[in-house]
Amino acid sequence: MKPIEIHEIPKELSRDIHSITFPNQGCTSNVGIIHTTEGKFILKRAKGELYRQWLAKEATLLRLLTKTPLPIPRIYRFIEENNRDQSWILMEYIDGNSLGEVLQHSKSDEERHNLIYQFGNILRELHQTPCPEELITSKPWLDDMLEQSQYNLDHYEVDGTQGLLDELTENRPKDYKQTLIHGDYTIDNVLVHEGKIVGIIDWSGGAYGDPRYDAALAIRTQPNAFENDEDKKTFFAGYGETIVDEVEYIYFEQGLYEFFRLMKWNKLCFSAFCVMFGCSALIKNSL
């Protein structure tokens, strides 16, 4: 997908841009770093009904979590362009690289273990953060996720099958106390700067839900991350306890996530993940 061009950005968001550069983001190739005299902000765009819904949900989550101590980007503007079937979020720029990228280039086991420990510790903080009342419903999170899984299976290309979904519905894990969750807590959605985790991004899956889901996605095997039991032990040492066993891990990461994994990837393909710029007028007109 071609990169965002300045003329595509809404007028109220496109002032004072000097230049745009585009980092190599694979499928998310329309990520842009926009340079201005006022600094850097992030602009995120989504096109199409489904992806715009996700962006709107992320905007809502970021607003609700603004007053928490969680390291999340502050949101300044959310704009819907219905005539162009696209939406935008303007938010704070957090300087850092994804934990996945940092672990790939880690030079020592000590550095890796420290980062993985932080990864677990910050998830613990997230789960202990009081969930905004607006997110709390009487309907169990897993019921909603299984219904969404069926809808996704019927309407989109997902990795899961009807047989797998039937099995997940029939063999649910034991009930667990619900908390605020991120919903896609992976090493790609955590930012690191100078050896410290400084940001948690991509909140479209945030909810009042099962914290074991976050933990299962966090420890999924990826290159140079969680390829051995030591990484998992370090993660749960940071978390403070082991909250997901092998059966539950398989249920969530190799089961439920199969109905959202490909959609998450497509989501990134159809949206500009980050366009960074600053403008004092934007801040004055912020949310």
Side-chain angles (χ1 to χ4, degrees), residues 128-141:
Q128 291 182 336
T129 298
C131 186
E133 292 183 2
E134 294 87 342
L135 299 181
I136 299 176
T137 64
S138 58
K139 183 179 182 181
W141 171 85

Side-chain angles (χ1 to χ4, degrees), residues 184-221:
D184 197 19
Y185 192 76
T186 68
I187 59 176
D188 297 320
N189 287 330
V190 171
L191 301 179
V192 175
H193 182 67
E194 296 182 348
K196 294 184 178 181
I197 291 179
V198 294
I200 304 172
I201 60 175
D202 196 358
W203 281 85
S204 62
Y208 181 60
D210 193 324
R212 293 173 298 181
Y213 186 67
D214 277 348
L217 299 191
I219 64 172
R220 58 194 294 257
T221 301

Side-chain angles (χ1 to χ4, degrees), residues 117-257:
Y117 184 93
Q118 290 184 54
F119 188 44
N121 188 252
I122 289 181
L123 182 60
R124 179 71 171 193
E125 293 181 17
L126 192 161
H127 290 164
Q128 291 182 336
T129 298
C131 186
E133 292 183 2
E134 294 87 342
L135 299 181
I136 299 176
T137 64
S138 58
K139 183 179 182 181
W141 171 85
L142 186 54
D143 287 355
D144 185 54
M145 289 293 283
L146 290 171
E147 290 178 8
Q148 288 185 44
S149 296
Q150 185 67 64
Y151 183 88
N152 295 346
L153 177 63
D154 293 341
H155 293 84
Y156 306 104
E157 292 185 10
V158 296
D159 293 339
T161 65
Q162 187 63 58
L164 175 59
L165 182 54
D166 292 342
E167 184 178 340
L168 294 175
T169 303
E170 196 171 319
N171 299 291
R172 298 163 59 115
K174 61 184 179 182
D175 291 340
Y176 202 90
K177 182 180 178 180
Q178 296 195 162
T179 68
L180 171 68
I181 66 170
H182 179 271
D184 197 19
Y185 192 76
T186 68
I187 59 176
D188 297 320
N189 287 330
V190 171
L191 301 179
V192 175
H193 182 67
E194 296 182 348
K196 294 184 178 181
I197 291 179
V198 294
I200 304 172
I201 60 175
D202 196 358
W203 281 85
S204 62
Y208 181 60
D210 193 324
R212 293 173 298 181
Y213 186 67
D214 277 348
L217 299 191
I219 64 172
R220 58 194 294 257
T221 301
Q222 298 196 56
N224 206 35
F226 300 103
E227 295 178 314
N228 55 63
D229 289 338
E230 189 62 32
D231 283 357
K232 295 177 183 178
K233 290 178 181 178
T234 301
F235 173 84
F236 285 118
Y239 189 85
E241 62 177 314
T242 302
I243 65 168
V244 60
D245 61 26
E246 185 64 24
V247 173
E248 293 162 343
Y249 171 79
I250 292 173
Y251 182 93
F252 290 117
E253 199 283 323
Q254 298 179 19
L256 193 62
Y257 197 50

